[in-house]
Every structure is written in structure tokens, then in C-alpha cells.
Amino acid sequence: MSEAFDIAIVGAGPVGAGLALALDGAGYRVAVIEAAPPSSETGSTFDARSLALAWASRQVLATTDPALWAEIEAGAAPIHRIHVSDRGRPGFARLDRDDEQVPALGYVVENRLLGRALHAALDRSGVTLFCPARVTAVDRSPRRARVLAEGPEGRVDLTASLLVAADGGNSAVREGAGIGTHRVEYGQTAIIANVAPALDPGTTAWERFTETGPLALLPLTEGRCSLVWTCRQGEEEELLGLDDAAFLQRLETRFGGRLGGFTAVGERHAYPLGLQYAERFTARRLAVIGNAAHVLHPVAGQGYNLGLRDAAVLAEVLADARRAGRDPGDETLLTDYARRRRADYARTTAFTDGLVRTFSNAVAPVAALRAAGLVALDRLPPARHALARQAMGLGGPVPRLARGLAP
């Protein structure tokens, strides 16, 4: 016998868990299926991976569950300022929380801390969590979706009016629904690591554009920075093969001396970079969110925040449907969700893609215009404000959760 739910979410990562929590208390019976067991990692580690949370994402999480946000904030590093520069050329731009009248432009939080807080919130919610459980089959009929999964305790068999694919860039649920993806390769690779600068990074995030791509240093707790160093594809092997001293020296040459050099680096990992997006965000009885719908270049840290806004808007659409007594898997409702996400997705993708292409172009006239643009940006408050709003996730219509309102 299948266990019946209103909504089944495949994937309990930050976006899938965020949607489940946003729907808790909305009157739906919600199930979440997650293949990976909860991490047992405890304590602080130098090498912990991290995410940048925009101000709008902070609002979504805090509105969803104040206790959840309190736990995250206790271990997060706030971003009060963002310094943007172009290597080897004059001019820079600065964004500041005071200009935007917010406590922080964003926050940097370790993945393990965020995951632990989200899973704790799921445990105390009314959401049913199947974890670990790996989806083995999905069938979507005109009236219901059926999901089969396997876990340590045996077979999971459930039905739902709406199935949500939140299972990442290689989403099996999306592929099983016949939704293809488009991918644009940038010819770049990201080197990800944590580093310790000689000077305390404080609350400033640095975005430095170089001829091989952007280099970002985001403040972490304990005087560390999260490094995202974009290099040309093929150069990553050399950077990964350097000893720590040589790597840090190369980093200082590339970044400059604003942080007094670097004293330590943790494990280094390389990831090829590209833009990937689903051909559509819905199918019969199915909504696609987060990385299953779109994967962005990490410049400006927009990827997770765009995905969490997917969850916030879908929660809003579903909450309205519940109040109106509508079927949560109704085709017109899903069409409304896709329509409401279109503008934000197009704007954020254009913003990210434009930064990558413009600031990776070494042609002299383009570089000169770039430098002039940064000078103008720093001196024009309306332009700075528009850029800050986009970076904060407030560049377009803002979901109710991001405004501090219930969905």
C-alpha cells in the first residue's frame, strides 16, 4: 500500500529542505526523500565548504523558522561590505550595508552548519522525512505521482498530488520526466579552498576580476576566507599541484596585498564551470527547483539564492492554492509558478553571465570601458543601489517570505 501525501519533495538539500519547511503549517501533508544520510561531522574544521546567503535568503529562512535562522546566524559570518575591482586597472566599486539600511548585505555559512540546522528544523516540523532513501522509480499519472524508494528500513512507496524535483544539477527526477537541459561551457574551472589571510578579513567580501575570470574571497569565522579562484580550463592541474607556499604566493600575486598576504590554505578542489538550465520548470504533476532547474557560475554567489527564491515562490503559490481549495498539482497552478519565476531567472542569469563574459575579456577597449564603469559605479549611488539590490536578491518582485510575511 502506498502512503498518501499532498506534496513529495525529492532532495533535502538547502533548497528542498527550505521548501518543505516553508510549507510546514500550510495544511499540506509533506514528504521529503533524501538519498544522503545526515552528516555526522561536528566541530569546526578549516576545510569546511560554505555558501553565501543573500539578504533575501536570510529573510526567507528567518520568516520560515526563527529558531532555524538563530542557529545559522550563530555560526555565520556577516558581509557588511563588498569590494569589487579589476586586476591591473584603476577603479573599484564598493557596496555597503549602511547605504542599503540593512544589518548585512548577506552572510557566509558553512554547508555542514546549514545542513545540520535545516535537518534539525525538519525533525521538529510536521514534515515526514525519508532519509537515507534512494528513489528507484517515479510514475506521474494525470491524477497523482507515485514514488518508489529504497532505504535501510526497506521499501518506501508513496503517492502525492505534486512531486518536486530538488535533487541537484544531475536530477534523476527531472531527466525521468523527459525535461532536457541546455549547458553553456565557460572554458573555466573554479579552484575552491579556505585560506587564512595575514590580516583579519573582518566583514568585507572581495570580488576581484582577472583576465582568467573572477576571484572571490568571502569572510568566514575564525579569521578564514572562502576562496573561489577562477582559472582557464587546463590550468587547474598546475594550481592543484603546487605546494601550499607556492599556491599562496600565486594567490597573493593574483589578488594583491589588501589582506597582507596569506598564511595557510586547506584542501583544494576543482570544478568545471558553466551555465546549465532546464528546458522547462514544470511537467505533469511536477515542479523543478534549485540546481535541478538552473546551475550558475559562482561569481556573485547567486546560485543557491536563486534556488531558495524558487522554493519561496512555489511555497507561496501552494499556500494560496490551499486557501482556495485547489489541487496542488493542478497544471494551471504549475504554469503560474513557472511564469512567476521567469523574470527573476532571466535577470539573475543575465547578471551572472554578463559579469563572467565582460570581466573575463582581455581586449584592451573592453578592459578600458570596464575600468571606467567601475569608477562611475562607485560614484553613482543609484547605480550602486541597483547592483546591491540584485546581489541581495531584491532585484525584482520579492516573495512574501523574503518580506517577512507568511507564504
Side-chain angles (χ1 to χ4, degrees), residues 51-55 58 69 72-82 97 102-110 200-206 217-222 224-225:
L51 279 174
L53 304 179
W55 174 254
R58 180 263 178 220
W69 175 249
I72 294 170
E73 187 178 26
I79 299 174
H80 293 171
R81 287 164 295 279
I82 301 174
R97 65 168 183 170
V102 291
L105 298 172
Y107 298 81
V108 186
V109 59
E110 294 175 1
D200 190 335
T203 54
T204 299
W206 304 85
L217 283 167
L218 306 178
L220 287 170
T221 57
E222 302 172 5
R224 300 167 298 153
C225 286

Side-chain angles (χ1 to χ4, degrees), residues 189-219:
T189 299
I191 306 296
I192 309 292
N194 288 345
V195 297
L199 301 178
D200 190 335
T203 54
T204 299
W206 304 85
E207 190 81 53
R208 186 154 173 77
F209 292 96
T210 79
E211 62 274 16
T212 64
L215 187 157
L217 283 167
L218 306 178

